[in-house]
Amino acid sequence: MYAPLAAKTHPNVAVPQVSLPIPMGKVAAQTSIDMANARAQTAFDPARIEEVIRDGRIDNASRQKIVKTLQDDEVFADWKLKMTHWSREQQMRMSHLAVRRILEIAHRDGWDAQEAIEAAINLDLQSPLSLHWVAFVPVIMGQGDFDQVQRWGNAAMEHQIFGCYLQTELGHGTNVQALETLATYVPETDEFNIHSPTLTSTKWWAGGAGLTATHAIVQCQLIIHDKRHGPHLFFVPLRSVQDGSVFPGIVAGDIGPKTYGAFAGLDNGWVRFDNVRIPRSNMLAKNAKVKQGGEYVKPPSAKLSYGGMVFIRSQMIDRCGWMLSRAITIALRYSHVRRQFRDPSSTDENDQERSVLSYPSLNRRLLPLLANSYAYILAGRRMRALYEDMAAQLDQGNIELLADVHVASSSLKAYCTKQVVDGIEECRQALGGHGFLSYAGFNGIFPEQLPSVTYEGDNFVLFQQVGRAMLKLAGELKQDRSAKVTATTAFVRALHDADAIRFRAPTAAVEWLRPDVFASALNLRAARLVGDLQAELDAGRRFVDLSWECVEVGRSHAEVVVSTWFAEAVADDAQALGTAEVAWISKLVALNALMSLSRNITPLALPMGTSGAAGLAAYKPGQAILTAESVKALETAIRGLVEELLPQVIGLSDAFGWTDWELSSALGRKDGRVYEHLMALAEGNPLNHKLTSKQPGQYNWNPKAAHGKHVVEWYTQELRPLFSATAARSDTPVHGNGAKI
Amino acid sequence: MYAPLAAKTHPNVAVPQVSLPIPMGKVAAQTSIDMANARAQTAFDPARIEEVIRDGRIDNASRQKIVKTLQDDEVFADWKLKMTHWSREQQMRMSHLAVRRILEIAHRDGWDAQEAIEAAINLDLQSPLSLHWVAFVPVIMGQGDFDQVQRWGNAAMEHQIFGCYLQTELGHGTNVQALETLATYVPETDEFNIHSPTLTSTKWWAGGAGLTATHAIVQCQLIIHDKRHGPHLFFVPLRSVQDGSVFPGIVAGDIGPKTYGAFAGLDNGWVRFDNVRIPRSNMLAKNAKVKQGGEYVKPPSAKLSYGGMVFIRSQMIDRCGWMLSRAITIALRYSHVRRQFRDPSSTDENDQERSVLSYPSLNRRLLPLLANSYAYILAGRRMRALYEDMAAQLDQGNIELLADVHVASSSLKAYCTKQVVDGIEECRQALGGHGFLSYAGFNGIFPEQLPSVTYEGDNFVLFQQVGRAMLKLAGELKQDRSAKVTATTAFVRALHDADAIRFRAPTAAVEWLRPDVFASALNLRAARLVGDLQAELDAGRRFVDLSWECVEVGRSHAEVVVSTWFAEAVADDAQALGTAEVAWISKLVALNALMSLSRNITPLALPMGTSGAAGLAAYKPGQAILTAESVKALETAIRGLVEELLPQVIGLSDAFGWTDWELSSALGRKDGRVYEHLMALAEGNPLNHKLTSKQPGQYNWNPKAAHGKHVVEWYTQELRPLFSATAARSDTPVHGNGAKI
């Protein structure tokens, strides 16, 4: 009745398709027409944008090659679909199989490690392989001395061993100084004694530690001759590479399933050490060292080992933008082809219903999230570049960029991760009822992205650090108006310098669209909030009690950074992008900035306080930065931008380059055939078929046998006895099979 | 080493406990001391509050009886813990077992239907049983005529049959008029022909339809002699009660897993009809009827069947408050006993770290959610009472209350469900890393509550209805200042009547704490937003294009309703609650109201527009309702309330009455022993043990065998070959078991 739905993948893998003889009908037939129409009116070349923005961790050609290899592979062709049906235990088991298979393919096709990791990411698989490369290998390479890199680094990079990084404990995470695991130097044997003294010292959370890792880097309190030297890193063998048994003195296991089914293929683990001895040479010794006999050699500079923390955060910004881009692609595609309610002015029952995306209550929610995706991807590219510059400087012993990169990466990490987590769920909730199905494709997005608000520094702790940095800068500028600022911190000067930010409150929507206008407004808001924070300190409150006020300072700072870097990134790549492409992305730059202003307009609309506030130099007490008319014009400007962008959003989301296999979403299908695909998946749903095998992952996914007339195998076991018992007790029992009741 | 962690439940069910010989340590030992201290300083009686607020669907004694029965039952004692490990297929199968077991216990102990449903709810089980009672039985009782209630109602209430309610389709949900399933009258045989003409007409989503239901109520377009009469309800047998096979002409199945693992025990289904004939007497005939030969008899009043829609929404308000109360109980307990970082002024390393709840960045997030829980529970009780009054009136043919109850229930449903969904995740994110474990107990809360923003009317569609109602009222009041208003809509009068709301902008925090002050401010804000909405219409925009503006109108209206009813409910139950209890809950009333104001202060702080706006009668153009000082005082008032409430939050969350078995959360344990419990659960985690059985639900949960030294069964199958292959390719192969690398 239809052409097959999916592109041909591996010949051994069944393609979900509708097998029941069902007439299509007008509503379902319209979806692919609507999608084709949207593409026909796209005013730019999405592929050109894709080429530029996808050039990230690896280049776009390599990415496409990996995706194609996976979606054609016998093991991986329907992997994501199966994953939604596996239990935690099945997923964990399949994760080991996937790791082995990825490395087989990598060997066969000559992929490098970066490509193998990309493959795991593309499978939505937080696997022991990813953690080995993200957490174990870099620590050895970055903190080990030359001999240690030779001894362990090569074996790790060749996957002869699998490692994990044991830092956080049951009792402590963010507060690294309070970790309890001990590494006590034993002069008699020139060894360290690794020990877990308490329940709360149990190492907890490390990915790969639960069932997989053969070796670990362990963060321990170094103790020499009863003197504590604080946390240091040690290399400790955990399990036999031959049979997986843990070595003597060690107990370990998986800490249990994660919330909402996240990270199911990753064995986050707990590990305890009972006086385990390791050689002195197993302490990572690039910086601090312990000599034979116990002499402790301090690291040359504490700040030199500081770059690692900044590294991971600086990599998270575009990554979370990409996660949001998956959700928004699904949401825009489905909302475009989904039609509900005719226009109220229509009187003909045969008139088509309206695309739900045409309703402001939907498009005003979704289009800003499209803008955010672009913003975080492109600002994230600038973040990476800035990190590279800083790392190059650090290698020369130059720490000039360190403070600024630290603040920017903290601020963006704390802000963007939360925006993205909320934005992904907003996309899903915008899908209506069908968004609540696993087949909508959000299991691989939201739960996986959720912990980003916690790991690598809890967002609220990071915002506090941003607040502290802003106050420090404000203090320096108060002393010396020529103190050094950067493009993303220069706004602080507006506290003391009336000319630092030139701004006239817009009186019409069109003024708000000018980049200098929205940039100045964002900067003024951030400056005012720093002033308000300073005023609280001046009024005698302690900084430790201002952690709540720091949150809004941090958000506003982050919005300055995102907006600035997003615009810079578009300008930098203008040539490669092309004129039409730049024009449309520039509207997203404006939308992102105006939505950031709209998120919290009060500091701009509220008159300056009359008493005690460290207000902005350019404004008198009682004076507000914006008028009521400016605020109304901002709303009008946002509405106008959304209406202008609306016909281009399918093109703008196509430009992210997601394939149907990657999205694994019945609602986010590129061809718009959402209803056929939902039906095909529901027919194939294993619950609707007799299990043919007890092996994990072996479901009877055979559309040709799916006639929707099966009986669940346990019906007669549970329900039949129930009905018999209730009928036997009844004065008016139901007779026969109940067809004639 | 410790006293056992859990209360003794069923003798055949193993209690999770730490079996490894692990010293407790200071950090873990402190948690139960901290919790006991918090209870010792509670200034009121939590049990007294519990008695009052738990008196809901069923009385508190019945509720406690049910909980005790379940937690002592062999099947249910560790049900919730096992549920986090089961696959969708296992959970669905176990759901049938649970339904049968609940009904066995109900028969044994003489529970009524309400108590059986309460039992299913307490198991976090969205089961075919719940849907049978919530969706199938009420429709028969409410829409069937006397004979139909006799024929089907009794069999359904005795559980001789299981039913489902088939309304939504693959292509349409909210837009009921556009449903495609046909019921065509066949005069020759005096039957209806039920038919699914298109792909998108496939019935979709109905709970219980996938694998369980024997009979269905089906919403179809009634067609008689080629004339369409719109959607009507029909009783259609689906499956044999004897063996579960679907009857001829019907195909059906489960639509697949739900997002984030939600509703796993519920078989939401798809059903198609291929010209299925049913007798004419199977059309539900309390209101509309079809006579032999095809004469159509209209219902006496369309509005009389309208109460059903309002019913479900009016029941959702306190229910979602209770869901939030679970999350906030867990969050407050864990945050209280979790200590991180010493006070910055401390110089002694042995000083205790601070409870994380003492940090404003945490308590400013959590305490408002405690206030929200109380607000929605108590305002929800008023909502139920108002519904009862309306239903009693409707039975008399009086529709006086209908419009107001409809608007209030739409507004509260749309507002509270979203606040609760966001609030639950906020609680989880506030738990730090451990909040990301399933054992934190959020799998039974967040995913289960998520679809409430969509079902029973998408929130954004409902907000639009609220906006329309407010505009209508504003128009009536413009014509006639004495037009009828209620306590929760009287604010609209402020548009035209300068004396409608008396208010003076507070200049100090203490003024904000006065109930008349925060109430007036909430009402003024709602009024201004209605005025702004009217101004957009006056400026020529169509109502259908104002759906976005309606959202904020709806939220502000809902905040007026919640605040008003919350305060009224406390006053109503003052005697039963007691003086100290009322005093503390009244602080939550204030906190809820002030946070509602703070959520969007701009309409109060922004001067009235100078052109075209339909402003408030009491304010001149250019005049704002609040000064900058008022806004700052509001922030100070909130901070003060939070600080005052902080020592009482353990007591205030105890008052919800949740048991450890109900919460099933290692972090939310009443005794505070969170670290021991996490360790015990991680030891018992089935992944850390050899499977002893292939039966679903049969895990080797035996703490005494849990020594943390197991080897996963498939290690040698996947990882061993991987290590052999990589070592074979290496120039520097790892030898032996890798212990000496």
PDB file of all heavy atoms in Angstrom, chain A residues 23 158 160 172 175 215 252 260 353 425 730 734 738, chain B residues 158 160 172 175 199 215 260 353 425 708 730 734 738:
ATOM      1  N   PRO A  23      -5.822   1.757   4.547  1.00  0.00           N
ATOM      2  CA  PRO A  23      -5.847   2.895   3.611  1.00  0.00           C
ATOM      3  C   PRO A  23      -5.163   4.099   4.241  1.00  0.00           C
ATOM      4  O   PRO A  23      -5.351   4.356   5.432  1.00  0.00           O
ATOM      5  CB  PRO A  23      -7.334   3.177   3.408  1.00  0.00           C
ATOM      6  CG  PRO A  23      -8.066   2.012   4.006  1.00  0.00           C
ATOM      7  CD  PRO A  23      -7.168   1.402   5.013  1.00  0.00           C
ATOM      8  N   GLU A 158      45.882   1.390  23.017  1.00  0.00           N
ATOM      9  CA  GLU A 158      45.693   0.204  22.168  1.00  0.00           C
ATOM     10  C   GLU A 158      44.536  -0.677  22.646  1.00  0.00           C
ATOM     11  O   GLU A 158      44.297  -1.740  22.087  1.00  0.00           O
ATOM     12  CB  GLU A 158      46.984  -0.631  22.141  1.00  0.00           C
ATOM     13  CG  GLU A 158      48.132   0.045  21.430  1.00  0.00           C
ATOM     14  CD  GLU A 158      49.437  -0.746  21.554  1.00  0.00           C
ATOM     15  OE1 GLU A 158      49.489  -1.694  22.383  1.00  0.00           O
ATOM     16  OE2 GLU A 158      50.392  -0.418  20.848  1.00  0.00           O
ATOM     17  N   GLN A 160      44.450  -2.524  25.225  1.00  0.00           N
ATOM     18  CA  GLN A 160      44.852  -3.766  25.893  1.00  0.00           C
ATOM     19  C   GLN A 160      44.337  -3.786  27.322  1.00  0.00           C
ATOM     20  O   GLN A 160      44.241  -4.851  27.937  1.00  0.00           O
ATOM     21  CB  GLN A 160      46.377  -3.882  25.917  1.00  0.00           C
ATOM     22  CG  GLN A 160      47.002  -4.035  24.557  1.00  0.00           C
ATOM     23  CD  GLN A 160      48.460  -4.455  24.702  1.00  0.00           C
ATOM     24  OE1 GLN A 160      48.745  -5.547  25.209  1.00  0.00           O
ATOM     25  NE2 GLN A 160      49.359  -3.584  24.280  1.00  0.00           N
ATOM     26  N   HIS A 172      31.498  12.478  49.203  1.00  0.00           N
ATOM     27  CA  HIS A 172      31.950  13.773  48.702  1.00  0.00           C
ATOM     28  C   HIS A 172      32.143  13.791  47.193  1.00  0.00           C
ATOM     29  O   HIS A 172      32.636  12.820  46.615  1.00  0.00           O
ATOM     30  CB  HIS A 172      33.254  14.197  49.387  1.00  0.00           C
ATOM     31  CG  HIS A 172      33.049  14.655  50.791  1.00  0.00           C
ATOM     32  ND1 HIS A 172      33.129  13.779  51.852  1.00  0.00           N
ATOM     33  CD2 HIS A 172      32.713  15.869  51.315  1.00  0.00           C
ATOM     34  CE1 HIS A 172      32.858  14.444  52.979  1.00  0.00           C
ATOM     35  NE2 HIS A 172      32.607  15.704  52.683  1.00  0.00           N
ATOM     36  N   ASN A 175      33.489  18.835  46.638  1.00  0.00           N
ATOM     37  CA  ASN A 175      34.509  19.228  47.616  1.00  0.00           C
ATOM     38  C   ASN A 175      35.665  18.230  47.610  1.00  0.00           C
ATOM     39  O   ASN A 175      35.771  17.350  48.454  1.00  0.00           O
ATOM     40  CB  ASN A 175      33.866  19.309  48.995  1.00  0.00           C
ATOM     41  CG  ASN A 175      34.825  19.872  50.048  1.00  0.00           C
ATOM     42  OD1 ASN A 175      35.971  20.192  49.741  1.00  0.00           O
ATOM     43  ND2 ASN A 175      34.343  19.976  51.267  1.00  0.00           N
ATOM     44  N   HIS A 215      41.948  -1.290  35.125  1.00  0.00           N
ATOM     45  CA  HIS A 215      42.883  -0.449  35.874  1.00  0.00           C
ATOM     46  C   HIS A 215      42.206   0.886  36.188  1.00  0.00           C
ATOM     47  O   HIS A 215      41.273   1.281  35.501  1.00  0.00           O
ATOM     48  CB  HIS A 215      44.172  -0.206  35.068  1.00  0.00           C
ATOM     49  CG  HIS A 215      44.941  -1.470  34.828  1.00  0.00           C
ATOM     50  ND1 HIS A 215      44.543  -2.402  33.877  1.00  0.00           N
ATOM     51  CD2 HIS A 215      46.057  -1.975  35.425  1.00  0.00           C
ATOM     52  CE1 HIS A 215      45.394  -3.425  33.899  1.00  0.00           C
ATOM     53  NE2 HIS A 215      46.321  -3.198  34.829  1.00  0.00           N
ATOM     54  N   ALA A 252      34.255  -4.330  44.404  1.00  0.00           N
ATOM     55  CA  ALA A 252      33.734  -3.350  43.457  1.00  0.00           C
ATOM     56  C   ALA A 252      32.439  -3.860  42.865  1.00  0.00           C
ATOM     57  O   ALA A 252      32.151  -5.051  42.885  1.00  0.00           O
ATOM     58  CB  ALA A 252      34.745  -3.108  42.331  1.00  0.00           C
ATOM     59  N   TYR A 260      15.541   7.673  35.113  1.00  0.00           N
ATOM     60  CA  TYR A 260      14.852   7.740  33.828  1.00  0.00           C
ATOM     61  C   TYR A 260      15.525   6.873  32.757  1.00  0.00           C
ATOM     62  O   TYR A 260      15.420   7.142  31.561  1.00  0.00           O
ATOM     63  CB  TYR A 260      14.731   9.182  33.321  1.00  0.00           C
ATOM     64  CG  TYR A 260      14.344  10.191  34.373  1.00  0.00           C
ATOM     65  CD1 TYR A 260      14.759  11.517  34.288  1.00  0.00           C
ATOM     66  CD2 TYR A 260      13.564   9.821  35.472  1.00  0.00           C
ATOM     67  CE1 TYR A 260      14.402  12.447  35.260  1.00  0.00           C
ATOM     68  CE2 TYR A 260      13.223  10.741  36.453  1.00  0.00           C
ATOM     69  CZ  TYR A 260      13.645  12.041  36.344  1.00  0.00           C
ATOM     70  OH  TYR A 260      13.315  12.962  37.313  1.00  0.00           O
ATOM     71  N   GLU A 353      -6.909  21.512   8.195  1.00  0.00           N
ATOM     72  CA  GLU A 353      -6.594  22.060   9.511  1.00  0.00           C
ATOM     73  C   GLU A 353      -5.247  22.803   9.427  1.00  0.00           C
ATOM     74  O   GLU A 353      -4.485  22.624   8.480  1.00  0.00           O
ATOM     75  CB  GLU A 353      -6.516  20.918  10.523  1.00  0.00           C
ATOM     76  CG  GLU A 353      -7.848  20.192  10.689  1.00  0.00           C
ATOM     77  CD  GLU A 353      -7.758  19.040  11.684  1.00  0.00           C
ATOM     78  OE1 GLU A 353      -7.350  17.938  11.274  1.00  0.00           O
ATOM     79  OE2 GLU A 353      -8.085  19.265  12.842  1.00  0.00           O
ATOM     80  N   GLU A 425      13.203  19.208  27.053  1.00  0.00           N
ATOM     81  CA  GLU A 425      11.889  18.797  27.544  1.00  0.00           C
ATOM     82  C   GLU A 425      10.781  19.698  26.998  1.00  0.00           C
ATOM     83  O   GLU A 425       9.673  19.236  26.733  1.00  0.00           O
ATOM     84  CB  GLU A 425      11.868  18.805  29.077  1.00  0.00           C
ATOM     85  CG  GLU A 425      11.754  17.441  29.709  1.00  0.00           C
ATOM     86  CD  GLU A 425      10.514  16.662  29.272  1.00  0.00           C
ATOM     87  OE1 GLU A 425       9.383  17.079  29.590  1.00  0.00           O
ATOM     88  OE2 GLU A 425      10.686  15.625  28.605  1.00  0.00           O
ATOM     89  N   SER A 730     -20.290 -13.709  41.325  1.00  0.00           N
ATOM     90  CA  SER A 730     -21.308 -12.752  40.911  1.00  0.00           C
ATOM     91  C   SER A 730     -22.710 -13.368  40.864  1.00  0.00           C
ATOM     92  O   SER A 730     -22.872 -14.550  40.570  1.00  0.00           O
ATOM     93  CB  SER A 730     -20.951 -12.210  39.521  1.00  0.00           C
ATOM     94  OG  SER A 730     -21.979 -11.365  39.054  1.00  0.00           O
ATOM     95  N   VAL A 734     -20.900 -13.189  33.784  1.00  0.00           N
ATOM     96  CA  VAL A 734     -20.747 -13.079  32.336  1.00  0.00           C
ATOM     97  C   VAL A 734     -20.503 -14.475  31.787  1.00  0.00           C
ATOM     98  O   VAL A 734     -19.655 -15.212  32.293  1.00  0.00           O
ATOM     99  CB  VAL A 734     -19.561 -12.144  31.988  1.00  0.00           C
ATOM    100  CG1 VAL A 734     -19.212 -12.245  30.507  1.00  0.00           C
ATOM    101  CG2 VAL A 734     -19.895 -10.706  32.381  1.00  0.00           C
ATOM    102  N   GLY A 738     -17.780 -13.383  26.447  1.00  0.00           N
ATOM    103  CA  GLY A 738     -18.074 -11.980  26.738  1.00  0.00           C
ATOM    104  C   GLY A 738     -18.468 -11.161  25.528  1.00  0.00           C
ATOM    105  O   GLY A 738     -18.720  -9.967  25.642  1.00  0.00           O
TER     106      GLY A 738
ATOM    107  N   GLU B 158     -17.549  -5.471  39.088  1.00  0.00           N
ATOM    108  CA  GLU B 158     -17.153  -6.744  39.704  1.00  0.00           C
ATOM    109  C   GLU B 158     -15.879  -7.332  39.084  1.00  0.00           C
ATOM    110  O   GLU B 158     -15.449  -8.423  39.455  1.00  0.00           O
ATOM    111  CB  GLU B 158     -18.289  -7.772  39.550  1.00  0.00           C
ATOM    112  CG  GLU B 158     -19.524  -7.451  40.370  1.00  0.00           C
ATOM    113  CD  GLU B 158     -20.682  -8.401  40.076  1.00  0.00           C
ATOM    114  OE1 GLU B 158     -20.609  -9.157  39.087  1.00  0.00           O
ATOM    115  OE2 GLU B 158     -21.669  -8.377  40.829  1.00  0.00           O
ATOM    116  N   GLN B 160     -15.541  -8.624  36.195  1.00  0.00           N
ATOM    117  CA  GLN B 160     -15.750  -9.770  35.310  1.00  0.00           C
ATOM    118  C   GLN B 160     -15.259  -9.436  33.910  1.00  0.00           C
ATOM    119  O   GLN B 160     -14.997 -10.328  33.099  1.00  0.00           O
ATOM    120  CB  GLN B 160     -17.227 -10.137  35.244  1.00  0.00           C
ATOM    121  CG  GLN B 160     -17.804 -10.637  36.545  1.00  0.00           C
ATOM    122  CD  GLN B 160     -19.168 -11.248  36.305  1.00  0.00           C
ATOM    123  OE1 GLN B 160     -19.289 -12.222  35.581  1.00  0.00           O
ATOM    124  NE2 GLN B 160     -20.187 -10.651  36.899  1.00  0.00           N
ATOM    125  N   HIS B 172      -5.622  12.523  15.640  1.00  0.00           N
ATOM    126  CA  HIS B 172      -6.277  13.610  16.367  1.00  0.00           C
ATOM    127  C   HIS B 172      -6.461  13.312  17.839  1.00  0.00           C
ATOM    128  O   HIS B 172      -6.779  12.182  18.217  1.00  0.00           O
ATOM    129  CB  HIS B 172      -7.637  13.946  15.749  1.00  0.00           C
ATOM    130  CG  HIS B 172      -7.526  14.666  14.456  1.00  0.00           C
ATOM    131  ND1 HIS B 172      -7.496  14.018  13.247  1.00  0.00           N
ATOM    132  CD2 HIS B 172      -7.399  15.992  14.171  1.00  0.00           C
ATOM    133  CE1 HIS B 172      -7.360  14.900  12.274  1.00  0.00           C
ATOM    134  NE2 HIS B 172      -7.298  16.107  12.800  1.00  0.00           N
ATOM    135  N   ASN B 175      -8.621  17.860  19.318  1.00  0.00           N
ATOM    136  CA  ASN B 175      -9.707  18.245  18.406  1.00  0.00           C
ATOM    137  C   ASN B 175     -10.686  17.085  18.206  1.00  0.00           C
ATOM    138  O   ASN B 175     -10.656  16.379  17.195  1.00  0.00           O
ATOM    139  CB  ASN B 175      -9.106  18.691  17.072  1.00  0.00           C
ATOM    140  CG  ASN B 175     -10.155  19.272  16.135  1.00  0.00           C
ATOM    141  OD1 ASN B 175     -11.332  19.354  16.478  1.00  0.00           O
ATOM    142  ND2 ASN B 175      -9.702  19.678  14.960  1.00  0.00           N
ATOM    143  N   LEU B 199      -5.583   5.306   7.996  1.00  0.00           N
ATOM    144  CA  LEU B 199      -4.471   5.066   8.923  1.00  0.00           C
ATOM    145  C   LEU B 199      -4.623   5.923  10.175  1.00  0.00           C
ATOM    146  O   LEU B 199      -4.516   5.441  11.303  1.00  0.00           O
ATOM    147  CB  LEU B 199      -3.148   5.397   8.207  1.00  0.00           C
ATOM    148  CG  LEU B 199      -1.882   5.408   9.064  1.00  0.00           C
ATOM    149  CD1 LEU B 199      -1.613   4.036   9.659  1.00  0.00           C
ATOM    150  CD2 LEU B 199      -0.680   5.869   8.231  1.00  0.00           C
ATOM    151  N   HIS B 215     -13.435  -5.164  26.753  1.00  0.00           N
ATOM    152  CA  HIS B 215     -14.504  -4.358  26.166  1.00  0.00           C
ATOM    153  C   HIS B 215     -14.063  -2.908  26.113  1.00  0.00           C
ATOM    154  O   HIS B 215     -13.188  -2.495  26.881  1.00  0.00           O
ATOM    155  CB  HIS B 215     -15.794  -4.496  26.977  1.00  0.00           C
ATOM    156  CG  HIS B 215     -16.342  -5.888  26.962  1.00  0.00           C
ATOM    157  ND1 HIS B 215     -15.782  -6.906  27.723  1.00  0.00           N
ATOM    158  CD2 HIS B 215     -17.375  -6.461  26.271  1.00  0.00           C
ATOM    159  CE1 HIS B 215     -16.441  -8.038  27.499  1.00  0.00           C
ATOM    160  NE2 HIS B 215     -17.404  -7.801  26.625  1.00  0.00           N
ATOM    161  N   TYR B 260      11.131   7.898  28.877  1.00  0.00           N
ATOM    162  CA  TYR B 260      11.838   7.828  30.159  1.00  0.00           C
ATOM    163  C   TYR B 260      11.326   6.679  31.036  1.00  0.00           C
ATOM    164  O   TYR B 260      11.398   6.743  32.263  1.00  0.00           O
ATOM    165  CB  TYR B 260      11.732   9.163  30.927  1.00  0.00           C
ATOM    166  CG  TYR B 260      11.934  10.395  30.079  1.00  0.00           C
ATOM    167  CD1 TYR B 260      11.305  11.598  30.390  1.00  0.00           C
ATOM    168  CD2 TYR B 260      12.750  10.368  28.949  1.00  0.00           C
ATOM    169  CE1 TYR B 260      11.478  12.725  29.609  1.00  0.00           C
ATOM    170  CE2 TYR B 260      12.925  11.491  28.155  1.00  0.00           C
ATOM    171  CZ  TYR B 260      12.276  12.665  28.488  1.00  0.00           C
ATOM    172  OH  TYR B 260      12.441  13.781  27.710  1.00  0.00           O
ATOM    173  N   GLU B 353      31.416  20.023  58.213  1.00  0.00           N
ATOM    174  CA  GLU B 353      30.980  20.734  57.014  1.00  0.00           C
ATOM    175  C   GLU B 353      29.549  21.222  57.221  1.00  0.00           C
ATOM    176  O   GLU B 353      28.846  20.752  58.109  1.00  0.00           O
ATOM    177  CB  GLU B 353      31.078  19.800  55.813  1.00  0.00           C
ATOM    178  CG  GLU B 353      32.514  19.355  55.528  1.00  0.00           C
ATOM    179  CD  GLU B 353      32.596  18.413  54.329  1.00  0.00           C
ATOM    180  OE1 GLU B 353      32.364  17.206  54.515  1.00  0.00           O
ATOM    181  OE2 GLU B 353      32.893  18.906  53.237  1.00  0.00           O
ATOM    182  N   GLU B 425      11.659  17.968  38.938  1.00  0.00           N
ATOM    183  CA  GLU B 425      13.020  17.873  38.408  1.00  0.00           C
ATOM    184  C   GLU B 425      13.973  18.829  39.142  1.00  0.00           C
ATOM    185  O   GLU B 425      15.145  18.514  39.330  1.00  0.00           O
ATOM    186  CB  GLU B 425      13.044  18.169  36.898  1.00  0.00           C
ATOM    187  CG  GLU B 425      13.355  16.958  36.040  1.00  0.00           C
ATOM    188  CD  GLU B 425      14.700  16.341  36.348  1.00  0.00           C
ATOM    189  OE1 GLU B 425      15.750  16.988  36.143  1.00  0.00           O
ATOM    190  OE2 GLU B 425      14.712  15.177  36.805  1.00  0.00           O
ATOM    191  N   GLY B 708      30.612  -8.246  46.506  1.00  0.00           N
ATOM    192  CA  GLY B 708      31.246  -7.242  45.655  1.00  0.00           C
ATOM    193  C   GLY B 708      32.461  -7.755  44.911  1.00  0.00           C
ATOM    194  O   GLY B 708      33.295  -6.981  44.475  1.00  0.00           O
ATOM    195  N   SER B 730      49.891  -5.717  19.334  1.00  0.00           N
ATOM    196  CA  SER B 730      50.734  -4.692  19.947  1.00  0.00           C
ATOM    197  C   SER B 730      52.223  -5.045  19.888  1.00  0.00           C
ATOM    198  O   SER B 730      52.595  -6.212  19.959  1.00  0.00           O
ATOM    199  CB  SER B 730      50.315  -4.488  21.404  1.00  0.00           C
ATOM    200  OG  SER B 730      51.196  -3.581  22.036  1.00  0.00           O
ATOM    201  N   VAL B 734      50.558  -6.506  26.851  1.00  0.00           N
ATOM    202  CA  VAL B 734      50.416  -6.700  28.296  1.00  0.00           C
ATOM    203  C   VAL B 734      50.411  -8.197  28.568  1.00  0.00           C
ATOM    204  O   VAL B 734      49.690  -8.954  27.920  1.00  0.00           O
ATOM    205  CB  VAL B 734      49.097  -6.069  28.784  1.00  0.00           C
ATOM    206  CG1 VAL B 734      48.777  -6.493  30.219  1.00  0.00           C
ATOM    207  CG2 VAL B 734      49.179  -4.548  28.672  1.00  0.00           C
ATOM    208  N   GLY B 738      47.608  -8.585  33.992  1.00  0.00           N
ATOM    209  CA  GLY B 738      47.664  -7.122  33.960  1.00  0.00           C
ATOM    210  C   GLY B 738      47.931  -6.493  35.307  1.00  0.00           C
ATOM    211  O   GLY B 738      47.962  -5.271  35.430  1.00  0.00           O
TER     212      GLY B 738
END
